[in-house]
Amino acid sequence: MPFEHEAGRLRRVARRCTVFFTDHAEIERKKDGIEKIDVVNMLCRCTISLVETNRGNGEEEWRAEGTDSDGRKITAVVVVYEDFAEVKVVTTWANK
């Protein structure tokens, strides 16, 4: 499976860290009716489908995919700060 190493790292960090949402992520999360706890729980069991470097700030962003508590597929773009035990949710959406 591609990006399995990154997925394992994210799942480990998400279980023991602070997960915070950017303003953009909050807007998109609310627009699609996604609860914060569903995003956090999804990150603990997600798969990673894409890893890319943000051209604006140079951060490595990972596209995490999984399901919410109702089984709906959701996606979140995150930045993992392993040294600080934090995950920044850049954006999130419900897959249509």
Side-chain angles (χ1 to χ4, degrees), residues 19-69:
V19 176
F20 65 96
F21 293 73
T22 64
D23 291 341
H24 175 76
E26 281 292 316
I27 291 166
E28 295 301 313
R29 179 185 68 74
K30 290 175 183 175
K31 185 168 66 173
D32 284 358
I34 302 169
E35 298 295 325
K36 281 185 177 182
I37 191 68
D38 284 331
V39 175
V40 173
N41 288 337
M42 180 273 289
L43 294 176
C44 293
R45 59 181 192 282
C46 69
T47 60
I48 302 293
S49 62
L50 181 66
V51 173
E52 61 186 2
T53 301
N54 180 311
R55 294 184 210 193
N57 60 20
E59 291 182 322
E60 188 173 77
E61 296 179 341
W62 300 351
R63 183 178 297 171
E65 299 180 347
T67 58
D68 66 8
S69 59

Side-chain angles (χ1 to χ4, degrees), residues 52-90:
E52 61 186 2
T53 301
N54 180 311
R55 294 184 210 193
N57 60 20
E59 291 182 322
E60 188 173 77
E61 296 179 341
W62 300 351
R63 183 178 297 171
E65 299 180 347
T67 58
D68 66 8
S69 59
D70 294 326
R72 179 174 60 157
K73 292 182 181 182
I74 60 174
T75 301
V77 175
V78 301
V79 176
V80 179
Y81 303 105
E82 289 180 282
D83 293 343
F84 302 106
E86 293 181 330
V87 175
K88 174 174 68 174
V89 179
V90 177

